[in-house]
Amino acid sequence: MTRRDALSRVSLILGGTIVGAELFLNGCGPSVPQVSATEFTAGTISFLDEVGEIIIPTSASSPGAKAAKIGEFMKTIVTECYEAKNQKIFFEGIGKLNEAAKAKSGGKTFLEMEPEAQKALLTEIDVEAKAYAKENVANPEAPKHYFALMKQLTLWGYFSSEVGATQALRYVEAPGPYKGCIPYTKGEKAWAL
Amino acid sequence: MADMEFDAIVVGSGVSGGWAAKELCEKGLKVIMLERGKDVVHVKDYTNATKGPWEFPYRGTRSQKMIEDYPVLKRDYPLNERNLDWWASDKDCPYTEVKRFDWFRGYQVGGRSLLWGRQSYRLADLDFEANAKDGIAVDWPVRYKDIAPWYDYVERFIGVSGNRDGIPHLPDGEFLPPMDLNCVEKDVAERLKVHYKGMRHLIIGRAAHITSPLEGQNRGVCQSRNKCSLGCPYGAYFSTQSSTLPAAMKTGNLTVRPFSIVTKVLYDKDTKRATGVEVLDAETNQTYEYKSKIIFLNASTINTTWMLMNSATDIWPEGLGSSSGELGHNLMDHHLGVRAGGWVEGYEDKYYEGRRPNGFYIPRFRNLSGEKRDYIRGFGYQGAANREGWSREVAEYGIGLELKEALTEPGKWTMGMGGFGEILPYHENKVTLDKTKTDKWGLNVVAIDCELKENEKKMRKDMLQDGIEILQAAGVKDVKGVDGDGTPGRGIHEMGTARMGLDPKTSVLNKWNQMWDAQNVFITDGSFMTSAGCQNPSLTYMAFTARAVDHAISELKKMNL
């Protein structure tokens, strides 16, 4: 992100829900990460891959979040970039998500649920997370909802991944002279950054 | 030792140091350019320049480890994994903040010319006459007519893309073809013209990017990659590496010595001239002396003054160039952090192509044509209109296929901008030597004591209100503004501390950037600035540098130096 991008990035100005990156741009003082990479077991990573794939699934035109190795991405960001307080929320969130799965499915873990049931559950939790964010809109210090973190990481990790940027979006390494005004037809993909 | 003697020494290799070296070499002088940091070889050392976003583990952001290691740099956007190597280490090079001052430094060959924002605007007589008219600080010893030909000269060489807008207080230059405003920005420009009856302008940014080939230079045109701060493999934007260094090297007259921290300017009190510099090798800790007839100090504002404060203290306790009592004083920056933005209805059938490394500019419009606000001087805005990307919120869809498909298409148009305000030259805003603290090499560090005062605070109110009003007048929806962090230093436009003037009693340099106390020492980095304007200052440093070299050469010929 350059200064120009920062100046013109309205979502940030408006205190909106911009994904992922804003967590790190403000540089809240140093805090020692408490979660080490070893706590992300293979099981955790495949769990996160599944959650990510439901948020951003494979479609006819492009692979989904699993193909973008979203679980590995979350591991990197959570262990190395997150502040301790968000690491805690994220990790406790994995437990909470499984608790919610059990309550909903009569004792099954999230990974044991049927795909439709998984999607229905995450849809419900997403509504809950959005409502929570709305309640706290005036309080930027309020703890994040764990699912908001998972969803942010999924969108950020996916659209900045190679499959996301080059297949779900259009990535051009050297676009050539900037064209300020071209026609756009609905359905055409957005440019990747 | 013959290899320790040169015709000229240039301290620093950034925007102005590169220019000094080029000009001196082209005039036939044997020059050594001393750079405190490592070498960065054009293209070869731009190791991240062609990576895709996915090739960065943190996708371009920062880790907690980086935040711990960079307690100053973390305060704003510069701390990121993509070009971390080009920002100075806060731990190796600490400084003292009497009041908070965010100092973002680039210690390598090329300095911050590799990292700069490339916005290139001329100052005008509105700026050069300002101190005299307002009765503050001291008058600039030059006027626009003195410097205009030098602006022409540097623009022709570096390549500045821009439109000839005909705005008297933002003089047009020798421009390459302008970059495009996009559809929304063009319409907004028209609406503002009507609404403000031609008194406020929205123009395409004037940026030091090649938009058509420059004869005789091995540089490619801008490819709209917007990865400039990783180094440009096409050499499309001006940097020391892409522009002045190859020209200087071509003469065969330049020696570049990286890892050379200049600790002192050596001074001979009998001849009243500097004789050379003392260098501390940053790798070996050995000290060396280089001798020369003339010396250009281009170590960047604050560092140049630090060097002087460390020099000739047996003659002037406050350092070389301090006889006026102004050395170290009148530190300035531009105050940033006021932003406004909103979204734009319509234009769903319009888009753009390319990542434009530039935006729009709204030049100063306050305190012009006889208007008198409750503060003096003014500010400009820089910003852009864009279509939202995947990071927007999509209210209708929570998760799954619909969300994914919605986010693969561009969203609505938004428009945002931030202000760049002038900071006045206050004697109390200053740097001094902190004799209680040392850096990695055992050198005393600088203490920075600088703050915004009433004039800037009042100006910020206008910056916020005007920003909101302009966007509303342009038809932007849900406009919101914020008075964010305006801490000095964040503009990364440090200026002053060795100002030029008409009188040796109140200034450090004469009208040729020549030190009153040692006439073979020239300072042409931001230190010389007598006032700050609100325009991005690098182009002005280049123009004054070329002019100062021209003067130095003619003085050498007359045997005056």
Side-chain angles (χ1 to χ4, degrees):
Chain A
M1 177 133 144
T2 64
R3 163 144 68 194
R4 177 160 315 287
D5 298 329
L7 289 172
S8 60
R9 221 137 137 195
V10 181
S11 321
L12 280 174
I13 297 169
L14 304 183
T17 53
I18 198 158
V19 185
E22 112 276 12
L23 288 172
F24 316 109
L25 285 171
N26 295 327
C28 324
S31 66
V32 183
Q34 295 177 341
V35 177
S36 75
T38 54
E39 291 180 54
F40 272 84
T41 62
T44 314
I45 294 200
S46 37
F47 169 84
L48 294 170
D49 276 341
E50 291 305 324
V51 170
E53 183 70 17
I54 293 166
I55 297 170
I56 297 290
T58 302
S59 59
S61 66
S62 57
K66 205 191 278 188
K69 296 196 166 57
I70 206 68
E72 283 291 339
F73 173 75
M74 291 196 213
K75 169 182 165 175
T76 303
I77 299 297
V78 172
T79 55
E80 296 183 48
C81 301
Y82 264 27
E83 289 178 83
K85 64 177 185 191
N86 285 327
Q87 291 183 329
K88 188 160 177 281
I89 293 169
F90 184 89
F91 257 81
E92 287 175 359
I94 296 173
K96 283 184 186 168
L97 210 164
N98 270 317
E99 289 304 313
K102 282 178 190 161
K104 196 91 184 164
S105 67
K108 289 183 187 164
T109 66
F110 180 76
L111 291 181
E112 290 163 350
M113 292 169 80
E114 292 300 317
E116 287 80 36
Q118 286 177 327
K119 188 179 175 191
L121 176 66
L122 294 191
T123 302
E124 220 170 88
I125 298 173
D126 181 58
V127 170
E128 173 193 311
K130 277 182 172 166
Y132 173 82
K134 207 169 172 184
E135 280 165 34
N136 289 291
V137 75
N139 176 18
E141 296 303 310
K144 306 266 176 202
H145 191 286
Y146 73 87
F147 191 72
L149 296 179
M150 288 178 188
K151 185 172 164 183
Q152 286 184 347
L153 286 167
T154 301
L155 298 183
W156 177 28
Y158 177 72
F159 287 109
S160 63
S161 73
E162 188 164 10
V163 292
T166 63
Q167 296 183 52
L169 303 172
R170 287 185 282 174
Y171 179 75
V172 184
E173 160 58 20
Y178 176 77
K179 296 191 187 81
C181 204
I182 59 169
Y184 174 79
T185 310
K186 184 152 175 60
E188 288 173 350
K189 288 171 177 170
W191 302 115
L193 277 180
Chain B
M1 259 170 70
D3 61 347
M4 305 303 274
E5 284 193 27
F6 292 84
D7 296 325
I9 292 170
V10 176
V11 182
S13 63
V15 163
S16 66
W19 260 99
K22 167 190 169 317
E23 293 296 298
L24 290 162
C25 286
E26 288 180 343
K27 298 274 164 69
L29 272 62
K30 292 283 176 195
V31 179
I32 185 164
M33 182 160 75
L34 299 165
E35 164 54 51
R36 66 172 293 153
K38 62 180 171 292
D39 196 12
V40 174
V41 178
H42 188 41
V43 184
K44 177 179 146 296
D45 287 339
Y46 302 160
T47 46
N48 287 338
T50 55
K51 285 184 180 169
W54 52 86
E55 292 179 75
F56 298 95
Y58 314 134
R59 302 288 157 86
T61 63
R62 52 179 65 175
S63 67
Q64 290 294 326
K65 171 81 169 57
M66 288 161 64
I67 289 170
E68 269 186 67
D69 288 347
Y70 290 87
V72 174
L73 201 60
K74 75 172 187 192
R75 296 174 189 168
D76 204 2
Y77 76 91
L79 181 62
N80 74 90
E81 66 179 327
R82 302 186 315 152
N83 60 15
L84 189 59
D85 223 25
W86 290 352
W87 295 101
S89 159
D90 290 337
K91 289 200 166 161
D92 290 350
C93 314
Y95 62 99
T96 299
E97 296 174 88
V98 178
K99 300 185 185 82
R100 189 180 138 198
F101 186 94
D102 297 356
W103 194 19
F104 304 142
R105 300 159 286 174
Y107 291 167
Q108 60 271 326
V109 170
R112 290 182 296 193
S113 78
L114 289 166
L115 298 159
W116 70 310
R118 300 143 344 256
Q119 292 292 299
S120 301
Y121 301 100
R122 296 184 175 203
L123 299 187
D125 274 334
L126 179 69
D127 307 297
F128 291 120
E129 290 172 355
N131 283 358
K133 284 192 171 163
D134 293 328
I136 65 156
V138 295
D139 190 10
W140 278 88
V142 296
R143 289 296 181 261
Y144 181 67
K145 66 173 168 42
D146 302 312
I147 197 71
W150 297 101
Y151 276 129
D152 291 349
Y153 178 72
V154 298
E155 284 165 350
R156 277 189 222 117
F157 186 77
I158 68 170
V160 175
S161 70
N163 187 49
R164 296 183 67 86
D165 298 294
I167 299 165
H169 60 283
L170 193 75
D172 290 332
E174 297 286 309
F175 296 140
L176 297 177
M179 291 184 192
D180 281 356
L181 290 171
N182 62 40
C183 327
V184 168
E185 293 163 347
K186 261 186 208 155
D187 282 2
V188 165
E190 281 308 310
R191 277 176 232 154
L192 294 181
K193 194 180 279 177
V194 173
H195 185 87
Y196 292 105
K197 302 185 169 61
M199 299 305 285
R200 296 189 191 180
H201 311 270
L202 185 152
I203 62 174
I204 184 65
R206 299 171 180 176
H209 291 255
I210 302 297
T211 50
S212 71
L214 279 180
E215 210 177 310
Q217 295 192 43
N218 184 24
R219 298 177 58 189
V221 299
C222 178
Q223 299 297 308
S224 310
R225 302 161 71 248
N226 199 21
K227 296 179 181 178
C228 315
S229 64
L230 310 184
C232 183
Y234 301 88
Y237 75 90
F238 167 86
S239 65
T240 296
Q241 275 84 348
S242 71
S243 177
T244 46
L245 185 60
M249 291 307 286
K250 207 164 86 181
T251 63
N253 289 331
L254 183 67
T255 305
V256 183
R257 191 187 196 283
F259 295 116
S260 302
I261 303 173
V262 175
T263 52
K264 281 189 174 94
V265 177
L266 305 168
Y267 177 78
D268 178 58
K269 61 183 167 207
D270 298 327
T271 59
K272 298 196 168 87
R273 295 283 186 270
T275 55
V277 298
E278 184 181 287
V279 167
L280 173 67
D281 187 299
E283 289 187 305
T284 65
N285 286 327
Q286 304 259 10
T287 55
Y288 301 87
E289 282 186 11
Y290 287 92
K291 304 281 184 183
S292 68
K293 293 178 216 157
I294 55 172
I295 300 174
F296 269 71
L297 300 183
N298 302 87
S300 82
T301 301
I302 300 179
N303 277 323
T304 283
T305 290
W306 171 85
M307 220 184 319
L308 294 171
M309 288 179 163
N310 233 11
S311 309
T313 49
D314 48 342
I315 300 146
W316 297 284
E318 304 302 319
L320 182 62
S322 66
S323 68
S324 66
E326 292 297 332
L327 183 71
H329 294 272
N330 314 296
L331 176 62
M332 300 168 283
D333 184 26
H334 290 134
H335 58 101
L336 275 61
V338 173
R339 292 172 290 165
W343 65 280
V344 178
E345 208 167 22
Y347 301 90
E348 286 97 351
D349 60 345
K350 297 284 191 286
Y351 208 15
Y352 40 79
E353 189 178 334
R355 300 180 293 273
R356 183 184 59 189
N358 192 4
F360 65 73
Y361 187 52
I362 298 180
R364 177 174 156 185
F365 52 87
R366 284 299 185 196
N367 290 320
L368 296 180
S369 318
E371 184 194 41
K372 283 209 188 326
R373 310 296 295 173
D374 63 349
Y375 56 89
I376 57 173
R377 316 294 167 94
F379 52 87
Y381 296 104
Q382 300 183 19
N386 284 303
R387 290 191 76 160
E388 288 182 308
W390 53 264
S391 62
R392 67 188 183 271
E393 175 149 18
V394 181
E396 316 88 280
Y397 308 117
I399 57 167
L401 203 57
E402 299 85 352
L403 175 71
K404 179 186 176 188
E405 286 183 348
L407 291 180
T408 59
E409 292 179 16
K412 60 181 186 284
W413 285 84
T414 62
M415 188 160 186
M417 61 189 195
F420 285 67
E422 178 162 356
I423 296 180
L424 298 178
Y426 300 106
H427 185 79
E428 316 83 85
N429 281 346
K430 65 179 190 292
V431 302
T432 49
L433 265 191
D434 181 349
K435 298 205 170 126
T436 67
K437 192 158 149 187
T438 54
D439 66 9
K440 185 185 169 188
W441 297 272
L443 300 164
N444 285 128
V445 304
V446 284
I448 306 177
D449 184 355
C450 184
E451 64 182 0
L452 300 189
K453 296 184 190 286
E454 283 314 300
N455 197 66
E456 292 74 30
K457 288 174 189 165
K458 285 179 184 161
M459 185 189 295
R460 289 176 81 78
K461 290 185 183 153
D462 255 11
M463 281 165 81
L464 181 61
Q465 280 164 16
D466 289 348
I468 293 169
E469 186 207 283
I470 285 170
L471 292 179
Q472 284 171 340
V476 178
K477 308 284 178 199
D478 295 333
V479 177
K480 294 199 172 71
V482 59
D483 183 355
D485 193 344
T487 305
R490 296 172 75 80
I492 327 185
H493 293 166
E494 310 92 75
M495 289 170 273
T497 71
R499 72 183 177 199
M500 58 195 326
L502 294 160
D503 183 347
K505 290 193 197 70
T506 55
S507 58
V508 179
L509 309 173
N510 70 11
K511 66 177 176 178
W512 303 107
N513 295 73
Q514 196 172 10
M515 188 185 283
W516 293 114
D517 293 347
Q519 300 221 340
N520 61 341
V521 176
F522 293 79
I523 299 180
T524 66
D525 59 20
S527 313
F528 73 80
M529 298 285 281
T530 310
S531 71
C534 63
Q535 301 92 317
N536 306 53
S538 297
L539 184 73
T540 297
Y541 307 164
M542 298 189 221
F544 275 83
T545 302
R547 178 175 172 271
V549 170
D550 186 66
H551 179 73
I553 299 291
S554 78
E555 289 295 287
L556 277 174
K557 281 187 187 148
K558 290 182 210 153
M559 310 291 278
N560 286 342
L561 291 178

